[in-house]
Amino acid sequence: MIAKIGSGANTRGVLKYLYDTVRAKDHTDPHLVASFDGFAPDPGRDEAATLTQLATMLDLRVKQAGDRAPEKHVWHCSVRAAPEDRILTDDEWAVIARRVLNATGIAPAGDPDACRWVAVRHAEDHIHIVATKVRGDLRQPRNWNDYPRANEECAVIEKEYGLRQFVRGDRTAAKRPTRAEQEKARRAGSATTPREHLRTAVRTAVAAAANTEEFFALLGGTGVLVDVQYFPSGDIRGYKVAQPGDTNAEGQPIWFSGSALAPDLSYPKIAERLATIDPTPELASRKPDAGHTAWTKATAAVDRIPEILDRTDEATGQAHITVVAEALDALPLVAPAQLQPRLLKAATAFERASRSHIRARHQQAQATRTAVKAIVRQPAPTDGAAIAMLLDALLLAVVAARHWHRTRHHDQQAEAARQAAEHLYAAYQAAAAQPIAVIHQRGLHLSVSQQRRQTDVLRQALPPALAEQVLAEPGWPALAATLTDAEAAGHNPTTLLTQAANRRELDTATSLSDVLTWRLRRSANLTAAPETRHDTPARGKHDTPRPVPAAQPAHRAPKDTTRKR
């Protein structure tokens, strides 16, 4: 059940729309289900009643208040059930209307001076509540935060009435494109609006930059128009961006401030995040193995995030979820071309999961953020398994983020993380196919004694049912080869496998052997087969990357099930 609230200045005009059955074809049998005193005239059911009579009755106190009445004195709230919900009766809708009015402060229960109101039903699945915002004592109602209060009450009503429970947010979502922006983009033949394009460009620049100066340089390098505002002291006050060619009627660029794109993209919040970057030599190193080392460290840092989310305070957890989002925003800059569309979709989906009402303590994620930024400043390693291992670690982090949000009832964020996991899993499968095949071939050539030894290790480390499941999987040879590599590197394979099996998400894995293979290779710091390569695009001589174009939003929502791994 969803409530939407608006305001206006013409009471009769709103009522005329609600009772119209000519132009609004979906309006059938409009009638009152409830009113402030139970005696309001009903133009839909009473032949002697008119819209003017009903409007005059509602506007009585507005006229009495005179200049003290608000200019937009009409409070209009629609309450709609889900299509699959049962048809509620008029009496049930009347109760719902009174509960919403009480929750919002428009008409508190038992208050003789409450605002005048009516509830009109012109369709089976929803009602409209119309009230005039002048109380009996000629004061205005205390209806601050009426929208979240109305939807909080709707959430309670859903449970009590056995209706579909909608996913609700916490007012931290990015601002959606307006209807006008969507229509303008459609006329221009674009699948995304300028607001969405600019949001992705800014997020990508933030993910790649090491400081605010570089952030503005990278953002300008994408072709986006950037206007930086300064205080008289010379300090940066803020910034705004525009998409070339997106102009108003006067031909001037249509500018968006950072906060108009998303709550976390204002200049102060970007500066706060970038101030936590550790200016270590890793960000500027040009050693031959610097790229591989950066990816290894980034993978290890991301691999610790699920444990951090389980064991640290909320502010630190939120900071690390922000870093997960930055990693997803940054990866398309360095990932193989064939993975970029999936990664862009994952980043776009997870954007909603990156924010909540919990204020992040970004300094606690300093090391993780620095490690992530280092990978976009170095050429990607030729070892094709590096990207697969990082994606596997990110997938576990996204799943952990979803669990973190769900336990705190962050419904929209949890759903966004679920969608991101689906896109990320598709990218992981594509990235892992070739390197896992190489490792698999090596496993097929193990000696009989090596195979027997690794089988014994597996049965010691895993419960019997899981061990037999792994042995029956096609991916077992790759896991056996990895156990052999770990032992050759001086590790205890039984200990490593036990630790890997105890981590989150193993019980829902489609291929236990594949998941365990990558976990072991990460924890043992093993490279994949040196034969494995991917077609990473060549990088130029500059140290800093250029953000990729904005992602295209998905047009179809993913299935409402968690992807099995």
Side-chain angles (χ1 to χ4, degrees), residues 98-145:
R98 291 188 175 93
R99 291 180 62 168
V100 170
L101 287 159
N102 176 67
T104 57
I106 292 293
D111 185 352
D113 287 329
C115 298
R116 294 190 168 200
W117 60 272
V118 294
V120 179
R121 183 180 189 181
H122 58 203
E124 290 184 335
D125 63 347
H126 69 281
I127 60 170
H128 291 261
I129 307 170
V130 180
T132 47
K133 296 192 292 184
V134 178
R135 292 168 42 83
D137 54 15
L138 303 187
R139 293 185 294 114
Q140 295 184 35
R142 300 174 62 87
N143 65 310
W144 295 285
N145 289 323

Side-chain angles (χ1 to χ4, degrees), residues 21-41:
T21 58
V22 178
R23 286 177 297 180
K25 301 298 183 182
D26 57 337
H27 291 189
T28 58
D29 186 25
H31 61 280
L32 293 183
V33 296
S35 66
F36 70 99
D37 63 357
F39 298 102

Side-chain angles (χ1 to χ4, degrees), residues 307-329:
E307 183 179 358
I308 291 171
L309 295 181
D310 279 341
R311 298 188 179 183
T312 58
D313 61 271
E314 289 187 332
T316 301
Q318 178 61 62
H320 280 84
I321 288 177
T322 303
V323 174
V324 172
E326 291 177 7
L328 292 173
D329 288 332

Side-chain angles (χ1 to χ4, degrees), residues 107 141 170 176 243 285 377 386 523:
D170 54 6
R176 295 180 179 180
Q243 180 172 305
S285 176
R377 316 181 81 78
S523 58

Side-chain angles (χ1 to χ4, degrees), residues 198-452:
L198 293 169
R199 181 185 303 132
T200 301
V202 172
R203 289 183 62 86
T204 307
V206 173
N211 51 59
T212 55
E213 292 79 9
E214 189 176 33
F215 162 69
F216 289 123
L218 290 174
L219 191 56
T222 65
V224 168
L225 303 178
V226 183
D227 181 14
V228 183
Q229 292 98 41
Y230 297 88
F231 288 110
S233 63
D235 295 329
I236 296 177
R237 179 167 60 91
Y239 74 100
K240 56 184 180 180
V241 291
Q243 180 172 305
D246 182 34
T247 59
N248 57 22
E250 290 73 34
Q252 299 298 316
I254 298 177
W255 296 96
F256 294 86
S257 65
S259 59
L261 299 176
D264 59 341
L265 296 183
S266 66
Y267 176 74
K269 292 189 176 180
I270 289 176
E272 181 184 2
R273 275 195 274 169
L274 295 182
T276 64
I277 303 300
D278 183 12
T280 60
E282 296 174 21
L283 294 181
S285 176
R286 298 181 182 179
K287 295 179 181 179
D289 62 344
H292 191 282
T293 300
W295 280 68
T296 300
K297 290 186 176 181
T299 301
V302 172
D303 201 32
R304 291 190 291 267
I305 290 178
E307 183 179 358
I308 291 171
L309 295 181
D310 279 341
R311 298 188 179 183
T312 58
D313 61 271
E314 289 187 332
T316 301
Q318 178 61 62
H320 280 84
I321 288 177
T322 303
V323 174
V324 172
E326 291 177 7
L328 292 173
D329 288 332
L331 266 180
L333 298 172
V334 289
Q338 69 270 20
L339 301 181
Q340 289 178 10
R342 297 183 178 96
L343 293 175
L344 286 168
K345 289 181 179 180
T348 301
F350 196 78
E351 185 268 343
R352 180 65 189 96
S354 65
R355 293 181 303 274
S356 73
H357 59 83
I358 298 170
R359 184 175 177 81
R361 190 177 293 120
H362 292 297
Q363 64 270 25
Q364 297 298 321
Q366 180 188 53
T368 308
R369 176 172 281 108
T370 301
V372 167
K373 288 185 181 294
I375 66 172
V376 298
R377 316 181 81 78
Q378 302 292 343
T382 56
D383 179 359
I387 182 68
M389 285 195 283
L390 180 55
L391 290 180
D392 183 60
L394 274 171
L395 184 55
L396 290 174
V398 169
V399 171
R402 183 192 182 202
H403 174 76
W404 190 88
H405 282 306
R406 288 180 65 182
T407 58
R408 289 157 180 80
H409 306 290
H410 301 165
D411 296 336
Q412 287 188 354
Q413 290 90 333
E415 172 61 17
R418 182 197 67 78
Q419 294 180 19
E422 292 208 355
H423 295 305
L424 195 57
Y425 182 68
Y428 158 78
Q429 285 186 308
Q434 184 178 1
I436 202 74
V438 173
I439 303 172
H440 182 274
Q441 286 298 316
R442 289 172 45 218
L444 293 176
H445 292 87
L446 293 177
S447 66
V448 175
S449 61
Q450 287 176 318
Q451 294 178 19
R452 187 182 301 115

Side-chain angles (χ1 to χ4, degrees), residues 170-191:
D170 54 6
R171 306 179 77 180
T172 61
K175 293 183 179 180
R176 295 180 179 180
T178 65
R179 180 80 172 266
E181 291 172 358
Q182 293 173 337
E183 291 296 333
K184 186 177 180 180
R186 190 175 295 113
R187 291 194 300 269
S190 175

